[in-house]
Amino acid sequence: MNILVVGLSHKSAPVEIREKVAFSPTAMAEPLQQMLALPDISEGVIVSTCNRVELYATSRECDGAISRLKDFLADYHQIARDDLNEHLYDFQGEAAIKHVLRVASSLDSMVIGEPQILGQIKTAYGYAAEYKTAGVILNRFLHKAFSVAKRVRTETSIASSAVSVSFAAVELARKIFSTLDDKTVMLVGAGEMCELAAKHFVNNGVSRVLVTNRTFSKAEKLAAEFSGRAVSFENFQDQLHQVDIVLSSTGAPGYVLHADKLTEVIRLRRNKPMFLIDIAVPRDIDPQGNKLDGIYLYDVDDLQGVVQANLKERQKEAAKAEAIIEEEILQFQQWLSSLEVKPTIVALRRKLEEVRQAELQKTFSNLGELGKKERKSIEAMSSAIINKILHKPTSILKNAHNSSDGNLHIDAIRTLFDLPDPAAAPQNSDTAPDQDK
Amino acid sequence: MTTHIILFKVTLIAYFIATALYLVNVVVRHEKSGRFARWALFGGIAVHFVNMSLRYYEVRYTPIADLHGSLSFFALCMIVLFLLFDMRYRLPVMGAFISPLAVVLMIFAGISHKPLLELNPVLDSWWFPVHVTFAFLGNAAFSLAFCAGVMYLLQDKMLKSKRFSGLYYRLPSLATLDSINNSSLTLGFPLMTMGIISGAIWAESVWGTYWSWDPKETWALITWFLYAALLHGRLSIGWRGKRAAIFAIIGFLCLLFTFLGVNLLLTGQHTFDALKG
């Protein structure tokens, strides 16, 4: 049994195509059931987000199944098959396993490490579970993907650094102040980005917000939004020493805050550090301020630079994540092939048990009157013989997934004992592991 | 004797393993190795402590009388204090600074190992363990302040220049580093003061004078004044951050000179040859 992936993502298809093949989350039953009705497809899950649409399936006939899945995707969305095909990728076997694990761990995302994709795959799996289109393999496989994603998240720092400018500002503030709980933010001017950054700061613990603006009413309005206090623009500089973080974005043509003023402020603060974020263009705060001890002044370009550095850091972490994934692929593949072994052993035992029962019947009717004790010991002896004979072959089969000629052994046993082909009786192999639980 | 050397080597290896693990933790950001490093340090100080106790029962005096014993005791105090700080701040990155320092001290201790002789009668007083314990605990606290200071300067430089190396992501915040500076200073300063006072009282009981301007005493006093200035600056003039970090570094260099340089370059009563007496 093989795992297949057919799909497209932001890497292979433009948004015009992606929006056409997206599945509506309110009507997943139909496509899932249609997909499962295709020949040679035994399980199916559909993942549909704004950046990717992917079909996960299991099949014994990989190549046929893949082209059927591709056709299904085109037909379902009424797109010409040829138009769609150039944007589609497909994977099978190990490559498919790897792809899904990478997607779930957010290594294939537009912004590496973004957390949403895992939730989206969980939702997709939820639909498949609801409409019973995910069987033993995809169940186990997707749970594996979830646990791998979790491992990647906890064992690497892939998602730990900010990749947006406003969140980068919050992180820098944490590197300076440790906690933001008792800190004060002042907004100078009222740019949109400033407001967004201020919201991030408030959400991360900042307790006091001061707002100043040339138009006092605007300051009052914005202050009310953060339940802060408005300060008149004429004397906001006199309040600066109470402020730990300044967010500045006025439309002023020159500097609003000069370095000598900052020298004075830092003295009033008894050298307590100050974090100034100047989002305005042209800049509001004299860049010389950054040279003062305890003043950390960042402009838009600096923040962009931080985001770039963080992205690079995520790339580095991604390499670690890839190693984790390689490890997990190996584990999962071992399980997958053991699944092939199990039905073989079950079938083998069943076959011998049938022979034993038949022979017992014969023996008992030939011997005529027998005591309970005698019957019991004959039964016990016959089953002991079977167990003894089967012991070695069973253990070899169980280890088959660890050796390269594992498939050879399975094949030999199936031929020598004339066991039924599992493909002919898929119910057996699908229900057996469930019965174990 | 051989037990002592074996245990000493075990301790050194434990500190060395901790150093390696902390470096792995910091350089490739492997979280687990930080935890293992902490366990290596705990194991190291346990063996270290047992070793010193055995030594005490063997020779019947505090085994810090020679250079070997002092260096090794310094390392022990440093790691113990670091682990105490680590419980509060969880700072594997600081471990990457402090444990190599301990390894270096231990290596020098190993080099300077000599068989123990009869103790100089001057040292045969219970003031001796009191004096050196205070002095070394103080030193250990200042070595933490030194490491925090170096880390502060690195972090400050990166935040100012806006160029981040991998270390940026590992270093704690400036506020945390400054608070380590503060707490190790407020811990180290009284300890050092007690060390000097107990030394003076002891000197009075053996030599009949509290203070004899021996080079070690003079340098200890200079170091004490440096730290006093920093503490005063912190408490009353609002010194903090970069300036406090630089002061902690200068203070520690001065302290190292008091501890080692004086003995190597100058002469006085505080020799490590006291045992030959």
Side-chain angles (χ1 to χ4, degrees):
Chain A
M1 194 60 89
N2 246 315
I3 293 176
L4 311 175
V5 173
V6 167
L8 48 75
S9 74
H10 58 97
K11 287 184 179 162
S12 70
V15 66
E16 301 85 67
I17 300 288
R18 298 203 306 269
E19 64 190 7
K20 272 188 205 149
V21 293
F23 289 89
S24 154
T26 50
M28 289 305 286
E30 206 194 324
L32 278 169
Q33 276 148 10
Q34 280 188 22
M35 183 178 159
L36 213 65
L38 297 171
D40 289 334
I41 303 283
S42 32
E43 298 177 37
V45 170
I46 299 177
V47 176
S48 178
T49 77
C50 50
N51 281 332
R52 73 178 67 241
V53 174
E54 289 183 345
L55 309 177
Y56 304 157
T58 57
S59 171
R60 288 192 181 279
E61 270 311 312
C62 290
D63 297 329
I66 283 174
S67 66
R68 266 179 223 115
L69 286 173
K70 286 183 173 173
D71 293 346
F72 160 71
L73 206 53
D75 297 348
Y76 188 86
H77 295 287
Q78 290 155 0
I79 309 168
R81 290 176 180 185
D82 290 339
D83 291 350
L84 188 60
N85 263 343
E86 58 175 311
H87 298 292
L88 290 176
Y89 47 73
D90 60 86
F91 302 101
Q92 49 176 292
E94 185 176 331
I97 297 173
K98 183 174 180 171
H99 176 78
V100 177
L101 296 186
R102 289 187 78 248
V103 170
S105 310
S106 192
L107 296 181
D108 199 47
S109 300
M110 202 180 262
V111 177
I112 291 179
E114 57 90 9
Q116 283 93 348
I117 184 66
L118 182 59
Q120 288 160 336
I121 296 181
K122 279 185 177 168
T123 315
Y125 170 69
Y127 290 126
E130 192 182 336
Y131 302 117
K132 302 201 168 44
T133 60
V136 196
I137 294 181
L138 284 188
N139 268 330
R140 176 85 171 237
F141 178 48
L142 287 173
H143 280 112
K144 185 80 194 172
F146 303 151
S147 78
V148 172
K150 197 177 165 208
R151 233 191 110 188
V152 165
R153 204 149 281 270
T154 49
E155 288 179 28
T156 74
S157 324
I158 196 154
S160 66
S161 47
V163 286
S164 76
V165 164
S166 48
F167 205 73
V170 172
E171 248 180 28
L172 281 165
R174 283 229 180 85
K175 276 285 175 195
I176 297 169
F177 301 114
S178 188
T179 163
L180 302 181
D181 285 350
D182 49 352
K183 298 293 176 280
T184 304
V185 168
M186 184 187 265
L187 282 121
V188 183
E192 215 171 288
M193 212 143 110
C194 239
E195 240 185 279
L196 184 65
K199 266 182 202 139
H200 274 302
F201 276 114
V202 170
N203 289 339
N204 284 279
V206 161
S207 52
R208 238 156 57 95
V209 179
L210 302 182
V211 183
T212 184
N213 198 303
R214 268 188 221 281
T215 323
F216 190 69
S217 59
K218 271 190 193 165
E220 276 180 319
K221 204 173 144 226
L222 196 56
E225 235 173 85
F226 293 109
S227 46
R229 185 160 60 86
V231 178
S232 77
F233 197 77
E234 287 67 40
N235 51 19
F236 86 90
Q237 303 209 348
D238 303 333
Q239 315 250 352
L240 270 179
H241 62 278
Q242 315 168 20
V243 175
D244 305 286
I245 300 156
V246 177
L247 282 163
S248 189
S249 66
T250 72
Y255 298 145
V256 175
L257 203 50
H258 291 273
D260 44 355
K261 180 66 197 174
L262 287 172
T263 318
E264 197 187 313
V265 168
I266 207 82
R267 197 182 317 120
L268 276 171
R269 285 175 63 77
R270 292 168 60 100
N271 305 313
K272 267 197 274 177
M274 231 177 149
F275 181 31
L276 308 176
I277 303 148
D278 186 354
I279 313 180
V281 180
R283 288 177 291 181
D284 283 340
I285 306 171
D286 184 352
Q288 294 299 317
N290 193 49
K291 293 198 174 137
L292 298 170
D293 246 7
I295 297 250
Y296 302 90
L297 170 58
Y298 279 69
D299 62 28
V300 178
D301 284 2
D302 296 335
L303 290 176
Q304 290 288 6
V306 173
V307 168
Q308 289 308 316
N310 287 350
L311 279 173
K312 253 190 221 151
E313 203 52 30
R314 284 192 176 197
Q315 301 278 1
K316 264 193 235 161
E317 291 300 304
K320 263 191 254 171
E322 301 279 5
I324 291 177
I325 286 175
E326 289 300 330
E327 220 180 287
E328 299 276 358
I329 289 175
L330 210 71
Q331 264 188 32
F332 185 76
Q333 272 199 320
Q334 278 187 358
W335 175 79
L336 204 58
S337 46
S338 88
L339 201 66
E340 308 289 330
V341 171
K342 250 190 203 167
T344 310
I345 295 172
V346 170
L348 183 59
R349 284 206 153 267
R350 192 176 293 140
K351 180 101 185 176
L352 294 194
E353 182 64 17
E354 274 166 23
V355 173
R356 187 177 79 98
Q357 289 300 341
E359 291 308 309
L360 278 176
Q361 286 297 319
K362 252 194 239 166
T363 310
F364 287 149
S365 61
N366 282 348
L367 286 175
E369 287 293 318
L370 271 180
K372 231 184 180 179
K373 208 177 157 194
E374 281 85 348
R375 272 175 163 267
K376 267 241 159 96
S377 62
I378 292 176
E379 267 175 3
M381 180 207 60
S382 58
S383 95
I385 291 176
I386 288 186
N387 283 338
K388 283 263 162 69
I389 293 173
L390 279 186
H391 176 73
K392 193 64 188 173
T394 308
S395 74
I396 289 178
L397 277 184
K398 276 184 177 161
N399 287 321
H401 55 90
N402 293 324
S403 68
S404 56
D405 46 357
N407 286 329
L408 201 74
H409 290 317
I410 295 170
D411 190 46
I413 296 254
R414 285 194 179 278
T415 320
L416 291 176
F417 288 89
D418 189 25
L419 301 177
D421 189 357
Q427 286 89 351
N428 285 343
S429 63
D430 276 355
T431 47
D434 280 343
Q435 283 166 353
D436 289 349
K437 282 172 198 166
Chain B
M1 203 49 147
T2 44
T3 341
H4 167 66
I5 291 172
I6 292 166
L7 290 179
F8 180 83
K9 280 184 180 162
V10 171
T11 313
L12 176 58
I13 289 168
Y15 293 164
F16 186 78
I17 290 172
T19 305
L21 287 171
Y22 274 130
L23 287 177
V24 168
N25 172 281
V26 170
V27 176
V28 289
R29 289 218 242 161
H30 188 259
E31 295 304 328
K32 267 189 204 149
S33 51
R35 248 175 292 148
F36 292 137
R38 194 179 308 130
W39 286 113
L41 283 189
F42 272 117
I45 57 168
V47 177
H48 205 153
F49 185 76
V50 167
N51 194 11
M52 293 207 72
S53 314
L54 286 176
R55 192 104 153 131
Y56 177 80
Y57 280 106
E58 189 186 337
V59 297
R60 290 279 152 200
Y61 60 78
T62 325
I64 319 174
D66 56 353
L67 183 60
H68 167 77
S70 315
L71 284 165
S72 130
F73 186 59
F74 190 176
L76 176 63
C77 291
M78 214 159 72
I79 299 294
V80 168
L81 271 191
F82 162 68
L83 286 172
L84 287 176
F85 268 75
D86 190 48
M87 281 203 231
R88 165 140 175 228
Y89 293 104
R90 275 287 170 256
L91 285 172
V93 64
M94 190 153 186
F97 283 78
I98 214 93
S99 43
L101 208 58
V103 168
V104 170
L105 288 177
M106 290 295 278
I107 287 172
F108 279 113
I111 293 168
S112 60
H113 182 263
K114 277 184 229 157
L116 285 179
L117 299 166
E118 277 303 298
L119 187 66
N120 183 330
V122 171
L123 297 182
D124 193 10
S125 149
W126 64 268
W127 279 111
F128 170 56
V130 172
H131 171 62
V132 289
T133 305
F134 276 131
F136 280 114
L137 281 175
N139 286 0
F142 291 137
S143 61
L144 288 187
F146 164 75
C147 287
V150 172
M151 284 154 73
Y152 191 100
L153 293 187
L154 287 171
Q155 184 76 309
D156 178 79
K157 187 153 183 283
M158 285 190 273
L159 280 167
K160 284 270 190 198
S161 67
K162 293 142 192 175
R163 257 191 281 277
F164 304 143
S165 69
L167 196 58
Y168 165 81
Y169 298 95
R170 299 297 296 165
L171 284 172
S173 67
L174 292 178
T176 306
L177 290 170
D178 195 47
S179 105
I180 292 173
N181 177 293
N182 189 37
S183 36
S184 44
L185 191 67
T186 41
L187 179 70
F189 189 73
L191 286 169
M192 187 188 193
T193 311
M194 295 296 282
I196 291 177
I197 292 174
S198 60
I201 297 172
W202 176 29
E204 205 274 338
S205 73
V206 257
W207 293 309
T209 165
Y210 287 107
W211 198 268
S212 48
W213 296 106
D214 157 277
K216 191 144 204 156
E217 291 169 7
T218 314
W219 276 96
L221 195 66
I222 294 172
T223 313
W224 186 85
F225 270 115
L226 264 175
Y227 282 117
L230 173 56
L231 194 61
H232 172 74
R234 282 205 77 106
L235 293 176
S236 57
I237 341 175
W239 282 9
R240 66 176 85 229
K242 199 171 167 185
R243 194 186 316 216
I246 292 172
F247 244 89
I249 292 169
I250 296 173
F252 187 70
L253 295 178
C254 201
L255 184 150
L256 274 188
F257 183 75
T258 310
F259 174 46
L260 295 173
V262 167
N263 291 87
L264 299 174
L265 305 173
L266 310 166
T267 50
Q269 310 164 6
H270 280 81
T271 64
F272 291 119
D273 301 329
L275 293 170
K276 283 183 188 160

